[in-house]
Amino acid sequence: MHSEKDQLPVDRLASFEQMQSVVGEALTGNERSRLGQYFTPSKIAQFMASMLTPASSTPVHLLDAGAGPGILFAAAVQEMCSRQVKPSAIHVTAYEIDTRLAVYARQALRWCEMKCAHASIPFEGTVVEADFIESAVQSLQGDLFSQTRLDPVTIAILNPPYRKIRADSRERRLLRHVGIEETNLYTAFLSLALKLIGDGGELVAITPRSFCNGPYFKRFRRQLHATMSILRIHVFDTRDTAFRQDNVLQEMLILHASKIAMRTSVMISSSAEPSDDGALMQCIGYEQMIKPHDVNAIVHIPTDQLSLRAMSTVDELPCLLSDLNLHVSTGRVVEFRTQNHLRFQADVGYAPLISSRHLVDGKIMWPHPRAGKPEALAINPASSSLLIPATIYTVVKRMTAKEERHRVVAAVYEPAATATVVAFENHINYFHQNGEGLDHDFAYGLAAYLNSTLVDTYIRQFNGHTQINASDLRILRYPSAEQLRMMGRAVSQATQSQTAIDRILQEVLATMTGPVEINPVQARQRIEEAMEALRQLHVPRAQQNERSALTLLALLDLPPDQPWTMASSPLRGVTQMMDFFARYYGKVYAPNTRETVRRQTLHQFMDSALVRINPDNSDRPVNSGQTVYQIEAHTLESLRSFGSPGWDSALRQREALAQELIKRYAQERLMSRIPLKLKEGASITLSPGGQNILIERIVHEFAERFVPDGRLIYIGDAENKFGYYDAEALTALGVTLDIHGKAPDIIIYDEKRRWLCLIEAVSSHGPMNLKRKDELERLFAGRLVPLVFVSAFQSRKALMKHMSEIAWETEVWIADEPSHLIHFDGVQRIEPYLSDRDPDTK
């Protein structure tokens, strides 16, 4: 237990993450498992808070159930304090059952009180050291003796604990008193929050994706659908993003919903990190997320147009399982319960035992050449209920490894000539017709359909884990029996590669669906091909991703339905590339992704000599709105042979030239850069043109005149965000720059006056307006010294374009008239500027 003197100061939001680290070290793994505690990183907390609907000037009652050290409610309070329209009062009720964490949550409340006082918002806060489930149930039942009476909640912001709860547990008994039947703490907390939220109130929660489908969470989905309107769902591209520090490998999402009746559309977004500018975003109809007549209220989360097209294609297929006289069941053998009937090798009196390890490359490999587990089940009266007739079945893995390419892995089981019965282990789902097997072509067609990219894309919209339940397979729609047999005949005659399976499915379905503008299967395959090409071209691992693959395809002007031989080399700007992503590949990125494409893909492509910048005009500034990129000529010739027998040879030739090309293009870029000598003794170069010409004048003229005792801390280059950065000096002033944050162009520390000057070189971007000033105050929230905000312009003419935007309490400097500053209410008083003609008034 930490004493008061050990506690960390709460003068900035970053300190909450430090608190979490201290408390996290104090909790053992067993304690975390018992309480289901996974702390919210500060970036995710701020991201969640930013989703809150802009407040009206009414009181806010904020609930944080399972608050931990208070990071979520603190982020929400900070967000509300920073907005132009502020609530008339804020009341926080935070539940935390762990006494150690409650100490830190109370510190967070004191920090919130300080923020609200500064924003002139009345504030009250309570940390309740009690079981949220018990307290909420008492409140919902109208218990007059409840420890805390919960008024209708305006905002519920939650990172609920994640742990299964037993049917005979105290929690389950309490929940039943208010009509809630949940199997996990996280949906129990959410269900209670939904009941506590008043009309017009809203919920923002980070949870596993597992509630979106499956029978265990059906009641919760129905409650959510009946009481709330989902406004936004944000998903993370990788499993380890949200709670990386706790090694949690769950697929997580952030849910934003409101208790309002209107249901029209939902914003779906996805990104690698919460602060990642490269977010995919699209607005979909509500009925595309939850089907109008779906009694299971399954939540579909299509993150792009490819997913929507896949959803539409599957939904238009003609058959349900019942139409095909099909059933899907889970294998009956649970190994630990049948130990006495198992054998490692088949023998007389034993039946084959098929488990998920026997599904290899789309086929059943039994016996397995490296069998380390039992592969046979005794045939006797005691095991008879576990055996089924040995005939043809389509089988599917129930659990797939996270590194497997597809979520659904299917194969066909064909019995040996001597087998009369077979057993399936319970990590297998199998398709049958009323307990009997399937005919050959039908079984192979069904397996091919389930292994298709189309089904994988569709399943991933609502399945957020690696388990494929029989219920997931039951909600799918399927091609007709004849279409499945056509696929089966084609597959049995072809190599069962993914490309072949997807081509066969496309041909079979073409007669039903007709041509489509974006073929989701073709588009997905081409993106994966481009990622493979980048891997073989040895681009850095961080650029072997979907965004970089799309950038490559845009630079090659290569839609999904054209062969690699048709690749060309247009001149394209980043906006044109993003238009290409959307038009041909259904990937609509947020507008601010332009910088992500430029900084996190194109820069590395240039370093690898895959791409040239402004080959038509080398004097053009890199941050000009007219900047264009073009695929390098040798790279283009190599890529035209991708996937053909000549690719290996072309790749070797390109690799032989790579170092020479890298050196040549790097030298060209270096010769055009602007040299800049700093008084700190360092020498750097800036990319040519644009705002960097103005940055040079700010360093040499503005700083020497107006901040003579200044120490340069940061310069943002148009090509390299951190052109110069003294991280140690800024950290000493209480600030750490986020690589994704929108830093000012220049930071100078006035060591004599203890001011931190934040300067924007206004060229392609705007000046210090109210929005920008507020962004920087948030970015520098932990500062230990005051801030000075400066907008720098090249000329008066440039200033006049932005005159109406300049925020009060900021400064303006014009490079063409370097000896003067314009104070926007800078000294907050009127006084004369004396000249030789003025009388002496001393």
Side-chain angles (χ1 to χ4, degrees):
M1 182 67 188
H2 299 280
S3 66
E4 285 287 335
K5 67 179 181 179
D6 294 328
Q7 293 165 24
L8 295 166
V10 284
D11 58 349
R12 56 189 183 272
L13 187 61
S15 67
F16 293 116
E17 196 153 54
Q18 294 171 336
M19 290 179 196
Q20 292 177 84
S21 176
V22 170
V23 178
E25 290 172 4
L27 292 176
T28 67
N30 288 337
E31 287 175 305
R32 286 208 175 186
S33 177
R34 178 176 60 84
L35 298 171
Q37 291 172 317
Y38 302 102
F39 300 141
T40 314
S42 60
K43 288 181 184 177
I44 287 182
Q46 290 171 303
F47 182 55
M48 291 170 65
S50 72
M51 292 185 184
L52 294 172
T53 305
S56 61
S57 54
T58 55
V60 166
H61 179 196
L62 188 147
L63 169 68
D64 186 350
I71 188 74
L72 272 178
F73 69 71
V77 168
Q78 176 173 268
E79 176 69 22
M80 288 185 282
C81 288
S82 68
R83 290 180 170 176
Q84 285 190 330
V85 178
K86 297 176 175 60
S88 59
I90 297 175
H91 181 96
V92 171
T93 303
Y95 280 86
E96 181 46 59
I97 198 169
D98 190 310
T99 301
R100 290 165 296 182
L101 295 178
V103 171
Y104 294 97
R106 289 191 179 91
Q107 282 189 282
L109 281 180
R110 291 198 292 274
W111 181 87
C112 290
E113 189 173 15
M114 289 172 7
K115 292 293 287 186
C116 286
H118 184 71
S120 301
I121 302 172
F123 176 82
E124 287 183 40
T126 306
V127 173
V128 184
E129 288 187 55
D131 181 347
F132 171 67
I133 290 179
E134 181 177 3
S135 185
V137 167
Q138 289 174 350
S139 185
L140 289 167
Q141 289 182 310
D143 188 341
L144 296 176
F145 300 100
S146 173
Q147 181 176 349
T148 298
R149 183 97 173 131
L150 287 169
D151 296 325
V153 170
T154 313
I155 295 171
I157 187 163
L158 280 80
N159 171 12
Y162 178 81
R163 173 174 61 79
K164 288 183 179 180
I165 46 181
R166 292 164 50 96
D168 59 352
S169 64
R170 173 178 170 275
E171 292 102 329
R172 290 287 284 274
R173 291 195 299 273
L174 283 167
L175 291 167
R176 289 184 187 118
H177 290 314
V178 289
I180 295 174
E181 257 323 326
E182 292 300 332
T183 59
N184 200 294
L185 277 179
Y186 89 87
T187 47
F189 271 54
L190 291 174
S191 293
L192 290 168
L194 297 185
K195 288 179 176 290
L196 293 167
I197 293 171
D199 290 342
E202 58 188 311
L203 166 77
V204 180
I206 182 165
T207 78
R209 284 188 62 174
S210 53
F211 77 84
C212 293
N213 70 307
Y216 292 118
F217 301 108
K218 181 164 67 173
R219 290 187 184 89
F220 171 71
R221 290 196 301 273
R222 285 176 170 175
Q223 181 195 4
L224 177 66
H225 187 45
T227 60
M228 306 290 285
S229 293
I230 297 174
L231 305 177
R232 180 176 178 183
I233 292 177
H234 182 88
V235 296
F236 296 103
D237 295 341
T238 57
R239 293 172 180 276
D240 63 349
T241 296
F243 300 106
R244 183 178 294 125
Q245 77 280 11
D246 291 321
N247 295 317
V248 176
L249 296 179
Q250 269 278 4
E251 287 198 29
M252 308 296 291
L253 61 75
I254 296 174
L255 171 70
H256 179 206
S258 180
K259 194 168 274 191
I260 55 176
M262 183 177 63
R263 286 178 176 159
T264 55
S265 60
V266 183
M267 176 62 72
I268 304 292
S269 58
S270 65
S271 66
E273 299 282 349
S275 55
D276 185 1
D277 290 336
L280 281 169
M281 302 188 76
Q282 70 173 351
C283 197
I284 66 170
Y286 211 90
E287 71 285 352
Q288 292 174 300
M289 179 183 64
I290 300 177
K291 311 293 181 179
H293 304 296
D294 182 6
V295 295
N296 296 306
I298 289 170
V299 181
H300 298 255
I301 310 175
T303 56
D304 53 42
Q305 289 293 310
L306 294 189
S307 300
L308 276 176
R309 185 63 225 175
M311 179 193 294
S312 174
T313 301
V314 171
D315 287 346
E316 290 169 7
L317 293 176
C319 295
L320 295 171
L321 286 182
S322 57
D323 301 314
L324 298 167
N325 191 28
L326 269 181
H327 300 270
V328 60
S329 301
T330 300
R332 303 174 184 180
V333 177
V334 180
E335 290 188 357
F336 75 88
R337 293 177 182 165
T338 55
Q339 294 283 352
N340 296 334
H341 304 290
L342 300 178
R343 175 171 279 191
F344 280 84
Q345 292 181 336
D347 203 346
V348 177
Y350 282 81
L353 174 61
I354 308 301
S355 62
S356 58
R357 63 183 173 274
H358 293 114
L359 276 73
V360 181
D361 296 330
K363 299 177 182 178
I364 299 292
M365 186 179 291
W366 186 93
H368 197 284
R370 295 186 301 278
K373 290 187 176 183
E375 293 200 293
L377 181 75
I379 303 173
N380 56 43
S383 66
S384 60
S385 63
L386 307 177
L387 299 165
I388 60 175
T391 182
I392 297 175
Y393 300 97
T394 299
V395 299
V396 176
K397 284 185 180 183
R398 278 188 60 212
M399 307 288 288
T400 54
K402 63 179 184 290
E403 60 272 8
E404 286 194 70
R405 207 173 144 195
H406 274 206
R407 189 63 51 86
V408 182
V409 177
V412 175
Y413 169 75
E414 290 193 73
T418 57
T420 58
V421 287
V422 65
F424 292 124
E425 193 258 345
N426 79 325
H427 288 97
I428 290 281
N429 291 313
Y430 65 99
F431 287 84
H432 56 93
Q433 292 183 317
N434 293 320
E436 299 295 328
L438 314 176
D439 69 68
H440 178 278
D441 290 346
F442 186 91
Y444 275 93
L446 179 58
Y449 171 66
L450 293 168
N451 282 328
S452 68
T453 301
L454 177 68
V455 168
D456 183 68
T457 304
Y458 183 83
I459 288 280
R460 286 177 185 272
Q461 293 174 28
F462 57 82
N463 184 300
H465 44 80
T466 57
Q467 182 167 326
I468 300 297
N469 296 310
S471 58
D472 297 328
L473 300 171
R474 291 186 188 113
I475 68 169
L476 270 180
R477 296 193 71 88
Y478 295 80
S480 68
E482 183 51 38
Q483 287 174 319
L484 289 172
R485 288 189 177 94
M486 287 172 60
M487 287 188 65
R489 288 191 290 271
V491 166
S492 62
Q493 296 167 10
T495 303
Q496 290 192 36
S497 67
Q498 190 64 57
T499 302
I501 288 171
D502 290 334
R503 176 182 53 77
I504 290 166
L505 176 61
Q506 181 181 341
E507 291 171 355
V508 168
L509 297 185
T511 55
M512 180 189 76
T513 59
V516 294
E517 185 176 352
I518 298 175
N519 183 305
V521 174
Q522 278 186 333
R524 184 71 254 164
Q525 285 178 340
R526 180 52 54 82
I527 291 170
E528 289 178 359
E529 288 171 1
M531 290 170 66
E532 177 61 21
L534 289 173
R535 188 186 68 78
Q536 294 191 40
L537 284 165
H538 303 299
V539 301
R541 188 174 182 82
Q543 281 65 53
Q544 295 174 26
N545 55 30
E546 183 174 274
R547 180 191 64 245
S548 298
L550 289 166
T551 303
L552 177 65
L553 293 168
L555 288 165
L556 296 170
D557 196 26
L558 201 60
D561 58 350
Q562 289 186 9
W564 285 87
T565 54
M566 297 292 291
S568 59
S569 55
L571 293 168
R572 281 205 165 135
V574 176
T575 300
Q576 292 170 305
M577 294 181 211
M578 291 173 64
D579 290 343
F580 182 92
F581 302 171
R583 179 179 178 186
Y584 292 106
Y585 290 91
K587 301 287 184 178
V588 181
Y589 284 90
N592 57 0
T593 302
R594 288 191 298 270
E595 275 299 289
T596 305
V597 171
R598 192 162 68 88
R599 292 186 184 278
Q600 296 182 29
T601 292
L602 288 166
H603 282 191
Q604 291 76 16
F605 280 10
M606 288 189 292
D607 290 342
S608 300
L610 299 181
V611 166
R612 300 193 65 190
I613 184 171
N614 291 323
D616 59 327
N617 181 1
S618 60
D619 294 329
R620 184 183 294 134
V622 295
N623 63 336
S624 163
Q626 305 301 314
T627 289
V628 291
Y629 300 84
Q630 187 178 46
I631 199 79
E632 192 275 327
H634 296 89
T635 306
L636 172 65
E637 286 305 311
S638 299
L639 286 169
R640 281 175 172 163
S641 65
F642 180 80
S644 73
W647 166 243
D648 288 342
S649 174
L651 193 61
R652 286 194 297 271
Q653 291 178 24
R654 202 268 169 194
E655 286 176 351
L657 289 170
Q659 290 307 312
E660 180 185 338
L661 293 172
I662 290 170
K663 187 175 180 180
R664 181 200 309 169
Y665 297 141
Q667 185 65 30
E668 287 179 8
R669 295 200 301 274
L670 183 62
M671 289 176 64
S672 63
R673 292 180 68 84
I674 301 169
L676 185 61
K677 290 187 177 181
L678 311 178
K679 71 177 184 180
E680 285 74 12
S683 293
I684 64 172
T685 62
L686 302 177
S687 54
Q691 71 180 32
N692 285 344
I693 295 172
L694 181 55
I695 283 176
E696 181 185 22
R697 296 194 67 179
I698 292 169
V699 171
H700 287 152
E701 298 181 53
F702 169 83
E704 290 179 8
R705 280 184 169 87
F706 297 103
V707 200
D709 299 304
R711 175 180 179 180
L712 187 66
I713 288 182
Y714 170 84
I715 294 178
D717 185 6
E719 189 173 76
N720 174 19
K721 186 168 187 176
F722 291 86
Y724 176 81
Y725 183 30
D726 187 342
E728 187 176 335
L730 198 57
T731 301
L733 296 171
V735 179
T736 301
L737 277 187
D738 180 358
I739 190 170
H740 297 295
K742 297 179 180 178
D745 293 318
I746 297 179
I747 302 172
I748 300 174
Y749 176 51
D750 188 325
E751 295 182 296
K752 184 175 182 179
R753 290 175 288 193
R754 290 183 55 77
W755 293 348
L756 202 56
C757 295
L758 312 182
I759 306 167
E760 291 284 24
V762 184
S763 176
S764 58
H765 300 293
M768 290 290 184
N769 55 26
L770 279 172
K771 181 176 181 293
R772 183 64 176 132
K773 187 168 178 273
D774 182 62
E775 286 175 349
L776 290 174
E777 284 180 336
R778 290 196 203 189
L779 188 63
F780 287 77
R783 63 189 180 274
L784 302 175
V785 294
L787 301 177
V788 176
F789 301 93
V790 182
S791 301
F793 296 89
Q794 187 65 47
S795 63
R796 286 198 187 204
K797 184 178 179 181
L799 166 63
M800 293 310 295
K801 294 178 183 178
H802 299 277
M803 193 69 179
S804 63
E805 300 177 58
I806 307 293
W808 294 115
E809 284 79 52
T810 68
E811 315 291 327
V812 169
W813 180 73
I814 300 171
D816 287 353
E817 302 173 60
S819 61
H820 287 73
L821 278 180
I822 301 174
H823 303 278
F824 274 69
D825 202 22
V827 293
Q828 297 184 328
R829 66 177 184 267
I830 186 169
E831 62 180 19
Y833 289 86
L834 299 177
S835 71
D836 293 339
R837 298 181 181 180
D838 288 308
D840 187 355
T841 57
K842 295 181 181 178

